[in-house]
Amino acid sequence: MSSARLDGMMVAEVMERWPVSVGVFNRRRMACPGCVMAPFMTIAEAAISYGLSPEELEADLVEATEGLAADPSRKEPSR
């Protein structure tokens, strides 16, 4: 995943498409997993609402998902 792919994506969509991203939200102590607003907030909006840099959150998400390509045993869910 690239940061550009995250532009405009909703938090719930990111977590559904890349389940490994849930760990990023948990490590940053964000309540996004299970939040009723996740389907309606972009990654940038969620970051701002927690006082975080959208660019840093996006970079963390990209880093977490890059392992999917490097490790063939970790598969991205098919759509």
Side-chain angles (χ1 to χ4, degrees):
M1 165 183 23
S2 70
S3 187
R5 279 182 79 182
L6 292 175
D7 286 345
M9 286 186 76
M10 301 299 152
V11 171
E13 182 180 5
V14 170
M15 291 188 293
E16 180 180 324
R17 191 161 186 186
W18 297 285
V20 69
S21 68
V22 171
V24 173
F25 295 110
N26 287 338
R27 280 190 301 281
R28 289 185 162 269
R29 303 206 185 278
M30 298 173 77
C32 298
C35 177
V36 297
M37 291 303 294
F40 309 105
M41 293 185 83
T42 64
I43 296 298
E45 290 169 337
I48 291 167
S49 73
Y50 279 89
L52 303 172
S53 160
E55 294 80 14
E56 287 181 16
L57 177 58
E58 289 176 4
D60 282 354
L61 290 166
V62 169
E63 183 180 330
T65 60
E66 280 179 347
L68 294 173
D71 182 354
S73 69
R74 293 175 61 195
K75 296 196 179 177
E76 185 175 339
S78 58
R79 284 198 145 261

